[in-house]
Amino acid sequence: MASSKKLISREEWEKRLNNVKIRKEDMNKLVMNFLVTEGYVEAAEKFRMESGTHPDIDLATITDRMAVKKAVQCGNVEDAIEKINDLNPEILDTNPQLFFQLQQQRLIELIRNGKVEEALEFAQEELAPRGEENQSFLEELERTISLLVFEDTSNCPVGELLDISQRLKTATEVNAAVLTSQSHEKDPKLPSLLKMLIWAQNQLDKKAAYPCINDLSNARLEDPTF
Amino acid sequence: MNSSNSNSNNGQSNSCKSSNFDNLNQDLGLHFLELARIGSSKTPVEMEEDEEEAPKELNTINSSGGFLVVAPDKLSVKYTSVSLHGHDVGVVQADKPAPMRRLLYYFEIYVKDAGAKGQIAIGFTNEGFKMRRQPGWEVNSCGYHGDDGLLYRGQGKGDAFGPTYTTGDTVGGGINYASQEFFFTKNGAIVGTVSKEKEMKGHLFPTIAVHSQNEEVHVNFGQKKFAFDVKEYEAQERLKQQMTIEKISLPPNISYGLVRSYLLHYGYEDTLNSFDLASKSTIPPICIAQENGFDEQDVVYALNQRKTIRQLIRNGEIDAAMNKLRDWYPQIVQDDKSAACFLLHCQKFIELIRVGALEEAVKHGRIELYKFFGSAEADDPFDDLVQKCVALLAYERPQESPVGYLLEESHRDVVADTVNAMILSTNPKMKDVHGCIQSYLERLLRQLTACCLERSANGGQGETFHLHRLLNSSREI
């Protein structure tokens, strides 16, 4: 495997790095975009004041969105649904998958709190009709209901439904749906740029030996290995 | 090779601290002077690329003259001879090679008349191609042939590829730089793709060929609407690439950590406090362990002072800022000819102009700015900036002048960033000069840009990377 890789010295590479023109405002925008998309309202407001960067979304809408997310994260699904509909009733109308997920979470919470009768009633009235229309909903419903027959849920095959990660997953999707309905991108740009960096380095590795950054958290440049 | 005024820090001892500091001082400040220059151009900060030329018509100079005739508009060709063997093919290339700095390139042919035998071909060939052979019959060429529907890639025998094509068909050929493939279409639908072998690097010319009597082919280099929806195809391919990138996994909480260290680096204290407070109540709580590499020693230093001075500068209160500096960090304002002092003096001048106090501005200029004029060096950043600042005096409405950008908030920010870096450099625990100037986030973005530029340099292929555009577009990355 002949190596026809071009070698770029550290000195040369650092010169190139210094020649890159990055605007402070662009970096500020990137940070603001992160704060806003992830829902750090007060921080976004302070950042606006301290840096003069304008948020690309109305900060008032963030508070509402965060309230919804929090409600889901805490397992207050009924509250969350009410809040979403207050924000924009179309969100759940146009998102049957999301709505089902929320209803499923509600069922999980009822089961978690030992409210067996209520759980069964809820499942029969609200979830079963959905299950009849949609195969994957039905499967999820069956998985969830099966929680009831286990005394020790920590070891059962569907135990993961009770895990907090299930709530977080739903919360993330609710967050994304709300952002999308507000015509905003649902993901912050920063993680994508970081992934692009990893990808670009991998691609360049095929053609050249050059100083690369292996640890993103301290951005340290490693000498090229040949 | 050890130079006495190198940037590398090898254990500053107190005795030589001031001399090391001078070197640091100059280097740090100069960096920001350069930044002040960037603000002067209205165009985006990326390098201007040479506009890559695209094929527009057929090349009549190198086509296989005796066998074919190219129409005067250079967009169609007819085989006039009677073909006798395999070396009298009528081949025509485009006038320019396919441009490479994009995701893909595409062109189409329309078969007006398949003639006696329908031996038409569409494909790509390199510059030195033997112009009497079908594209694909020689190395460094490829061709999709209409008579047998085979794909030829550098040898006499072709591979099964797609349907044949004849009179009335529209056939397209393209290069996908992202996936490194050739692709062909027929009447608006994809026929197939093949990998663009390694030999086929370098410039590739869109090529068409006719070989039997009366064959006639028209070519479309994009002047007319294509039968194939190439824009849609391009969007799909771009999406594929994005999905590959999206799948890459990141260390947990890395974005959070980078944002945090950015705030610390520039001294955005209030934001940082709100950020930390909110993170405590996040579910699940975010914690950055020390082993993740976030070393706060360097940047927590003087957080409140840096924030205070930044706010003063952002409000245009330069005198107040300089007073604070004299109180807290006299070593920074000690050398009046340092880049940092220079920037502050210029900013004071600019603020006076902003409020219309022109006489005071002139007075200030006579005291503080005159000494930066007329350096012998060409391209001296001090001279450059001071001239531009003073030029503000000449305009009734300076903000609308070519030097109006100096009055913008972004310029105040450059001064604030300079002072911030200088304060960070006074930290006795500071090990890395670089760390004063650039946050980790900035370094990562520079690395990203440099890698992408290297990939597309020297005849590289694929879309070029534009950080500024990416950050300012409203679509998802």
Side-chain angles (χ1 to χ4, degrees), chain A residues 112-129:
Chain A
R112 187 203 307 279
N113 294 324
K115 301 196 173 129
V116 178
E117 269 198 46
E118 241 189 282
L120 288 173
E121 221 184 286
F122 181 70
Q124 286 164 5
E125 278 175 28
E126 298 288 336
L127 290 174

Side-chain angles (χ1 to χ4, degrees), chain A residues 64-77:
Chain A
D64 298 331
R65 173 165 52 94
M66 287 303 111
V68 172
K69 190 172 176 189
K70 194 90 186 263
V72 177
Q73 284 169 338
C74 297
N76 301 331
V77 183

Side-chain angles (χ1 to χ4, degrees), chain A residues 16 26 28-29 50 185 217, chain B residues 262 292 454 468 472 474:
Chain A
R16 295 191 194 184
D26 285 342
N28 279 348
K29 273 198 195 143
E50 284 192 307
E185 296 128 49
S217 62
Chain B
Y262 181 88
N292 277 7
E454 173 60 26
H468 180 76
N472 287 285
S474 55

Side-chain angles (χ1 to χ4, degrees), chain B residues 402-413:
Chain B
V403 283
Y405 68 92
L406 290 169
L407 288 164
E408 283 169 24
E409 247 188 53
S410 54
H411 198 260
R412 278 177 175 168
D413 213 35

Side-chain angles (χ1 to χ4, degrees), chain A residues 6 13 16-17 20 23-24 26 28-29 47 50-52 185 189 195-196 201 207 211 217, chain B residues 246 248 262 268-271 284 292 314 413 417 446-447 454-455 468 471-474 476-477:
Chain A
K6 174 179 172 187
W13 190 253
R16 295 191 194 184
L17 288 176
V20 172
R23 280 201 175 132
K24 172 88 181 301
D26 285 342
N28 279 348
K29 273 198 195 143
F47 192 57
E50 284 192 307
S51 72
E185 296 128 49
K189 292 184 178 172
K195 289 180 186 182
M196 230 188 266
Q201 287 193 142
K207 285 177 29 179
S217 62
Chain B
E246 258 322 287
I248 294 176
Y262 181 88
Y268 293 119
E269 189 184 26
D270 293 343
T271 311
N292 277 7
R314 282 186 56 80
D413 213 35
D417 288 344
R446 281 173 187 268
Q447 181 78 359
E454 173 60 26
R455 276 183 70 229
H468 180 76
L471 292 177
N472 287 285
S473 79
S474 55
E476 304 229 356
I477 291 182

Side-chain angles (χ1 to χ4, degrees), chain B residues 146-340:
Chain B
D147 58 347
D148 54 16
L150 301 182
L151 189 78
Y152 292 79
R153 278 153 81 191
Q155 44 200 46
K157 187 168 173 321
D159 305 315
F161 183 67
T164 58
Y165 53 89
T166 182
T167 312
D169 286 329
T170 303
V171 183
I175 308 176
N176 182 339
Y177 294 110
S179 62
Q180 287 291 298
E181 292 176 322
F182 292 112
F183 63 98
F184 293 93
T185 70
K186 178 183 173 185
N187 295 332
I190 274 272
V191 170
T193 65
V194 282
S195 120
K196 188 168 157 299
E197 277 163 48
K198 286 196 277 272
E199 306 99 83
M200 294 217 66
K201 14 178 218 214
H203 290 294
L204 291 173
F205 288 81
T207 307
I208 60 181
V210 285
H211 197 199
S212 73
Q213 202 168 15
N214 291 327
E215 282 175 18
E216 186 180 340
V217 165
H218 298 190
V219 71
N220 177 6
F221 289 119
Q223 296 98 334
K224 297 193 298 222
K225 189 163 170 331
F226 289 128
F228 175 65
D229 191 349
V230 74
K231 286 264 166 273
E232 176 59 34
Y233 187 66
E234 190 175 20
Q236 282 170 11
E237 292 297 299
R238 188 172 287 124
L239 195 60
K240 262 195 228 165
Q241 187 173 76
Q242 280 172 350
M243 306 236 53
T244 314
I245 297 177
E246 258 322 287
K247 287 205 178 69
I248 294 176
S249 65
L250 294 171
N253 294 326
I254 183 94
S255 300
Y256 171 87
L258 287 169
V259 165
R260 190 164 191 279
S261 62
Y262 181 88
L263 297 173
L264 269 173
H265 175 91
Y266 283 107
Y268 293 119
E269 189 184 26
D270 293 343
T271 311
L272 180 67
N273 289 337
S274 293
F275 193 53
D276 281 342
L277 198 59
S279 312
K280 285 198 178 62
S281 58
T282 312
I283 300 164
I286 299 178
C287 54
I288 310 278
Q290 275 306 106
E291 73 243 23
N292 277 7
F294 289 106
D295 185 0
E296 292 194 359
Q297 291 298 349
D298 300 343
V299 272
V300 164
Y301 176 79
L303 181 59
N304 185 262
Q305 290 90 322
R306 289 186 284 122
K307 169 213 129 137
T308 307
I309 297 189
R310 175 180 293 276
Q311 290 314 312
L312 288 171
I313 296 178
R314 282 186 56 80
N315 289 335
E317 298 172 49
I318 307 299
D319 284 331
M322 291 198 76
N323 285 336
K324 286 270 188 277
L325 279 173
R326 282 189 201 102
D327 285 342
W328 295 337
Y329 303 102
Q331 66 269 53
I332 296 180
V333 287
Q334 185 179 289
D335 175 8
D336 206 42
K337 295 198 96 176
S338 67

